[in-house]
Amino acid sequence: MKQNIAKVFTFSLLASSISFISCVDNEKNLFDADQLKQIYEETFPVKNIDPDGDWTVSRSVTARVSVNGDQGVDYKIQIFDADPLSPGSTAKLLAEGTVNQSTTLNVVMDCATALDKVFVARIDEHKRYLVQPAAIENGTVTAHFGDKGTPTRSMSRAVATSIPVMEAPYTADFISAKKVTATVVQAGWDLGASSGWAGNYKEYPVFTESERWFKIPDGTFNGGFTTSGVSGGAQAVKVIVPQGSTWVIENSNQFSNITEIIVENGGKIEVAKNGSLVLTQASYITVMQGGSIVGDRGIQITNSSAGRTNYNAGTIDCDFFKIDGGGSGVDFVNYGTLKLNSYNASTNGTTLI
């Protein structure tokens, strides 16, 4: 081994000598500075650089934000360079301050020159977020969550943020796999039933399981069903509204305590004129991207979903969304489209993000 290393080392020295000698011709230096300069000029990727050009990469922008809210309540304002609620967001906090119904936030912040809009967030005392984009025009940003023409309030800059971010509860692949083994719902079923209850429950093994997965039939399904609770041995009930299925709720469908309604990409729930989707205690909804809940009526969540988080990355477009009853509050995270004629949250601690 040592002998091989010596041979290589000798060869390397010889090669180095050859390279060194090749740069000299009868003691004449072959390096041509003028030629090298010409090569640089011909190959450099940027041409015609203006020595008087503006190479500034940041600028000062003035933001003015006002809020129309509850009397005497201060709202936190945060301004970002990107949408902070987008999944995987890397939004940077540019400035923050506080404002109320009778004041306006004025703040000067540093922004990249390429930035043409910012995202302004209003956070209330229950940590509910409203975010809106605002264009940068002539070095100024104006955002209104309320009235104009109010007195100035002091502010402070900030460099960090902790906006709640929630990943989708399920992946598309996970739901696709669950659909393969999920039991097709039948009209009139109690999804919390025991296999020994009257009816045809004993014919389906799902009614012996503690965690139960069901799916709405293909096409349009307008049959009613419910979940009465845990007395039949169920600890969790999951109902998938799959791609290509439309579940029409013609009356009040109530799900008690343990039910999650999951609307897959391409699945739809239609709440008819006399219908409503009622979720009580530990029941909640998950609308995946591309899923939808639409209709003439709406959704009612009672007794706070028992700490479960309701999630929408699709479209909810219906008459009302009502949160009431006891409990510690409902968490509702919206990454999609939420269109309502009426939103009423009377349960203390409710968070809408």
Side-chain angles (χ1 to χ4, degrees):
M1 179 62 71
K2 290 182 179 179
Q3 183 178 5
N4 290 339
I5 293 174
K7 287 182 179 179
V8 172
F9 182 69
T10 302
F11 176 78
S12 298
L13 287 176
L14 179 60
S16 299
S17 300
I18 293 172
S19 299
F20 178 77
I21 293 170
S22 66
C23 294
V24 179
D25 183 9
N26 296 327
E27 299 183 356
K28 179 181 179 181
N29 188 354
L30 298 181
F31 175 74
D32 189 334
D34 292 335
Q35 183 181 16
L36 183 61
K37 180 180 178 181
Q38 181 181 353
I39 292 173
Y40 284 165
E41 290 176 347
E42 292 176 352
T43 59
F44 193 69
V46 180
K47 307 294 184 183
N48 302 322
I49 298 176
D50 183 2
D52 298 323
D54 184 2
W55 295 88
T56 305
V57 296
S58 66
R59 57 175 170 163
S60 293
V61 173
T62 300
R64 298 184 177 92
V65 184
S66 58
V67 169
N68 180 19
D70 295 333
Q71 185 67 39
V73 175
D74 282 352
Y75 295 90
K76 189 174 185 178
I77 300 296
Q78 294 182 325
I79 304 174
F80 300 87
D81 64 351
D83 187 352
L85 296 183
S86 295
S89 175
T90 58
K92 302 296 188 301
L93 183 62
L94 302 174
E96 69 177 0
T98 57
V99 67
N100 60 36
Q101 184 167 304
S102 60
T103 63
T104 296
L105 170 68
N106 288 341
V107 57
V108 178
M109 54 194 179
D110 294 326
C111 298
T113 54
L115 195 66
D116 60 1
K117 67 179 176 181
V118 295
F119 290 79
V120 184
R122 189 219 72 176
I123 306 101
D124 68 11
E125 58 186 339
H126 299 298
K127 300 187 183 302
R128 293 176 292 208
Y129 285 75
L130 290 177
V131 178
Q132 62 172 270
I136 301 175
E137 297 178 345
N138 299 320
T140 302
V141 169
T142 302
H144 301 289
F145 295 95
D147 298 331
K148 301 179 182 179
T150 51
T152 300
R153 182 184 180 92
S154 62
M155 65 80 200
S156 63
R157 294 193 181 191
V159 295
T161 182
S162 58
I163 281 187
V165 175
M166 178 181 176
E167 297 293 334
Y170 306 104
T171 65
D173 289 342
F174 179 85
I175 295 299
S176 293
K178 283 296 183 182
K179 287 193 302 181
V180 174
T181 57
T183 301
V184 177
V185 169
Q186 294 185 19
W189 267 2
D190 181 341
L191 305 187
S194 166
S195 61
W197 288 14
N200 63 347
Y201 298 120
K202 63 182 179 181
E203 300 174 15
Y204 298 90
V206 68
F207 290 102
T208 65
E209 299 170 357
S210 59
E211 181 177 280
R212 304 176 180 183
W213 284 84
F214 297 90
K215 62 184 176 183
I216 299 298
D218 293 338
T220 299
F221 175 75
N222 56 6
F225 60 97
T226 188
T227 303
S228 61
V230 298
S231 60
Q235 298 300 312
V237 171
K238 313 285 187 178
V239 181
I240 302 171
V241 183
Q243 184 177 23
S245 295
T246 298
W247 173 23
V248 180
I249 300 177
E250 297 180 339
N251 299 294
S252 177
N253 275 214
Q254 179 168 316
F255 299 90
S256 300
N257 198 29
I258 55 173
T259 307
E260 179 183 9
I261 306 297
I262 304 167
V263 187
E264 188 191 23
N265 179 16
K268 180 192 291 186
I269 296 176
E270 289 186 6
V271 186
K273 185 176 182 179
N274 295 319
S276 60
L277 176 59
V278 182
L279 305 169
T280 69
Q281 298 180 30
S283 294
Y284 56 111
I285 56 174
T286 297
V287 183
M288 306 293 285
Q289 186 173 13
S292 62
I293 301 177
V294 300
D296 296 325
R297 295 294 289 161
I299 304 166
Q300 181 177 354
I301 298 177
T302 301
N303 299 117
S304 77
S305 295
R308 273 77 169 179
T309 298
N310 296 270
Y311 176 89
N312 174 45
T315 298
I316 296 179
D317 184 356
C318 52
D319 181 41
F320 66 84
F321 185 27
K322 185 177 182 181
I323 299 171
D324 60 9
S328 57
V330 173
D331 288 335
F332 187 91
V333 178
N334 180 51
Y335 284 115
T337 299
L338 188 60
K339 296 181 180 180
L340 305 166
N341 291 326
S342 172
Y343 169 69
N344 186 344
S346 60
T347 303
N348 290 334
T350 293
T351 300
L352 173 62
I353 301 174

